[in-house]
Amino acid sequence: MKGFFDKVVNGLAWLAGWLMMAALLMVCLDVTMRYFFNSPIGGVLQFSEYVLLYIPFLASAYVLREESHIRIDIVLNRLSPGKERVINMITSFLSFLVMLVLTVFGTFITLDYYGRGVPVLKYYKIPEFLVIMIIPFGCLVFGLQFARRAYNLYREYRENPWSGGKH
Amino acid sequence: MEWWQALILLLGTMVVLMLSGMPVALSFLLVDIIGAFIFLGGANGVVQLILNIEESLTSFSLLPVPLFVFMGDVMFHSQLGFKAIDVLDHWIGKIPARLSLLAVIGGTVFSTMSGSTLATTAILGSLLVPDMERRGYHKSMSIGPVMGSGGLSMLIPPSALAILLAALNQISVGGLLIAGIVPGIMIACCYACYVVIRGFLQPHLAPPFEVQEISFRRKIRDTAVYVLPLGLIIFLVIGLIFLGIATPSESAALGALGTLALAFAYGRLSWEVLKKSILGSVKITGMMFIIIVGSMTFSQIMAFSGASSGLIQIVTNLDLAPIMILICMQVTLLFLGCFMDNLSMVMVAVPIFLPIVQALHFDTLWISLIMLINMEMANTTPPFGLLLFVMKGVSPPDTTMSQIYRAGLPFLLCDTFVMMLVMIFPQIALFLPSLMK
């Protein structure tokens, strides 16, 4: 299960990366077509905007697993490793709750848009739920990664309450 | 709820959460959820929060952020431009503190091609510091110039953080990118003058050494092969925006493709380089965008709660000249920069400062550029500037953090000097954007 979740997290980060590369190539092609042939490709702007929304929500869990989210650790660094771990455990749990709230509300919005067939009225008319659904989905994966982090810290705490931990 | 109570609740919770080591993005989002419940009408407020997230990210003007970071990563992993440093070295000749000067010139050139201060500093640090140490350079003349000029990537386009700041301050992305050129070059000139004068006055800090004679013909040939092609990237990023041929997002895409093409042409583009660059830029972008989502919503909640307007009233009623208020803002940012990374610092400060800036009728582009200089300085302000730690990573093992702090100090003074000049003469920042098509 742990290995499977890691693969999902890696896969989503790669998907974000390839979406970024696709946006890069499409924008270049669009500029070239517009400048030299006066014939821009339609919908590139719309696609790129969705990529910008998808990247953080696809990649956040990966960023967290790599411990690359910015944190201010001036206070934590002055605490004993045991206390630091307890605080990290609490903040990871709080972060999980934040993601849970966003997942639940995001799912309601997505289902509502799906039920009402709300469209996006831009270059291409596409169902809005396809755009917004990445928010609850990304928050779910991000939240699960926080839950994993909190659980690992808790397990370390149970094993040896006052020693330092990895996280 | 009174505005000051709302302010204490929102800011106080934010400070406590951030100091507890919670990721900055999550601290913002938790405060946003609490604020949305209280000030935006309960559950409907949270629905609004999610719609805000969608709206704030689906903006074409943010596209340069991942692409500029990607350019820096490709440059770093493919070691593109390393040879250019050698060529620049040949041109410098027998000037006092020549390797320190090379670090400044190389840093400025790299800054015009990389949107990542980390990448530029790491490249320069790993390339030049070992050689400087070997030749007996004092730490202040080896680490300092690398760290200072590495930070220029934030000011000189392409700059990923300039894009975020422009989005947050709702100003022209192209305008802010172009506005960074002149102050960036001025800072580089200050650094160059400083290292040369210090090398002249205290030659023992940067001992002179015999330079290998290179024929003029070879210098010209090497420049044509290794330096001039890099100008293509500079043109794609800066030239196209300035000439009005492409938007900043389009220029960023063309610049990123140009960087890939050059890496390929020099035989330095491999699957490993591409893989590391893609994942590296996704990681940085993911981290930045979640923070910007939280910060943008935080500004709206501050406005809805009445905290912003309350603050504006207090500030405008103060018996202080607007320029003094501006100075106070920058001093606050400088102070915050000592304890926070530059991105978090600006994301916390902008929602509070922006309404005040608008109420005082300051030019937002000018203020944003001053903030950008401040962000650059925050990279090297002890004890927590990010570049201080990057330098520690690429410096010889015997280098202590206090040596790194001391080495960065004169360069911080150069930054402060240019920031003051930009405050006194706004045209330094605004002249080039006014010429844009």
Side-chain angles (χ1 to χ4, degrees), chain B residues 42-100:
Chain B
N44 286 338
V46 183
V47 169
Q48 191 53 47
L49 168 68
I50 290 169
L51 297 179
N52 281 350
I53 290 175
E54 186 198 358
E55 199 184 315
S56 51
L57 285 182
T58 49
S59 164
F60 190 59
S61 60
L62 285 177
L63 188 62
V65 175
L67 301 182
F68 284 166
V69 176
F70 178 68
M71 281 171 70
D73 276 344
V74 172
M75 292 258 311
F76 178 61
H77 294 301
S78 69
Q79 305 188 339
L80 180 69
F82 279 31
K83 191 75 185 164
I85 294 278
D86 281 344
V87 180
L88 291 172
D89 185 22
H90 296 153
W91 280 109
I92 287 178
K94 291 176 184 171
I95 291 176
R98 63 189 303 278
L99 288 179
S100 308

Side-chain angles (χ1 to χ4, degrees), chain B residues 69-362:
Chain B
V69 176
F70 178 68
M71 281 171 70
D73 276 344
V74 172
M75 292 258 311
F76 178 61
H77 294 301
S78 69
Q79 305 188 339
L80 180 69
F82 279 31
K83 191 75 185 164
I85 294 278
D86 281 344
V87 180
L88 291 172
D89 185 22
H90 296 153
W91 280 109
I92 287 178
K94 291 176 184 171
I95 291 176
R98 63 189 303 278
L99 288 179
S100 308
L101 183 62
L102 178 65
V104 174
I105 296 174
T108 312
V109 171
F110 271 49
S111 296
T112 58
M113 293 177 289
S114 163
S116 160
T117 51
L118 300 185
T120 306
T121 311
I123 290 171
L124 288 173
S126 50
L127 263 182
L128 296 176
V129 172
D131 195 26
M132 289 167 157
E133 292 274 327
R134 196 165 52 81
R135 295 187 186 279
Y137 272 53
H138 190 262
K139 305 268 186 215
S140 60
M141 295 299 272
S142 59
I143 293 171
V146 169
M147 215 159 51
S149 44
L152 287 176
S153 285
M154 190 171 288
L155 205 54
I156 297 177
S159 161
L161 283 174
I163 307 289
L164 289 183
L165 193 58
L168 208 61
N169 281 344
Q170 296 152 19
I171 53 167
S172 153
V173 169
L176 186 57
L177 284 173
I178 298 295
I181 296 175
V182 176
I185 292 171
M186 283 173 70
I187 290 177
C189 290
C190 284
Y191 290 170
C193 290
Y194 166 74
V195 293
V196 171
I197 292 171
R198 194 158 181 208
F200 180 73
L201 295 176
Q202 296 174 299
H204 62 282
L205 296 181
F209 56 92
E210 266 316 303
V211 186
Q212 189 196 347
E213 279 298 324
I214 305 281
S215 68
F216 184 73
R217 197 189 169 95
R218 194 175 145 203
K219 280 186 205 170
I220 292 287
R221 196 205 65 159
D222 285 353
T223 306
V225 175
Y226 297 112
V227 180
L228 289 185
L230 299 180
L232 169 79
I233 301 175
I234 301 174
F235 173 74
L236 288 173
V237 175
I238 302 175
L240 294 185
I241 299 176
F242 192 76
L243 295 172
I245 294 172
T247 64
S249 300
E250 292 167 345
S251 299
L254 291 166
L257 192 66
T259 310
L260 280 176
L262 271 188
F264 179 75
Y266 285 120
R268 293 186 174 276
L269 186 64
S270 63
W271 167 240
E272 201 54 33
V273 167
L274 194 62
K275 196 171 122 179
K276 281 183 185 165
S277 306
I278 291 177
L279 276 183
S281 34
V282 159
K283 202 155 79 176
I284 302 282
T285 309
M287 175 272 285
M288 281 182 165
F289 277 10
I290 295 285
I291 294 181
I292 203 170
V293 156
S295 175
M296 280 180 162
T297 310
F298 183 68
S299 326
Q300 289 168 4
I301 290 171
M302 285 278 286
F304 266 99
S305 67
S308 297
S309 50
L311 261 181
I312 291 171
Q313 223 165 10
I314 289 273
V315 173
T316 47
N317 287 344
L318 282 174
D319 195 17
L320 272 178
I323 190 74
M324 287 309 293
I325 295 171
L326 174 63
I327 292 170
C328 288
M329 283 179 186
Q330 299 314 314
V331 172
T332 310
L333 279 178
L334 271 177
F335 176 74
L336 283 177
C338 295
F339 302 97
M340 297 170 92
D341 71 282
N342 45 28
L343 179 66
S344 320
M345 157 191 119
V346 167
M347 294 294 151
V348 171
V350 164
I352 300 163
F353 286 179
L354 184 63
I356 298 174
V357 164
Q358 286 167 341
L360 293 173
H361 303 292
F362 282 130

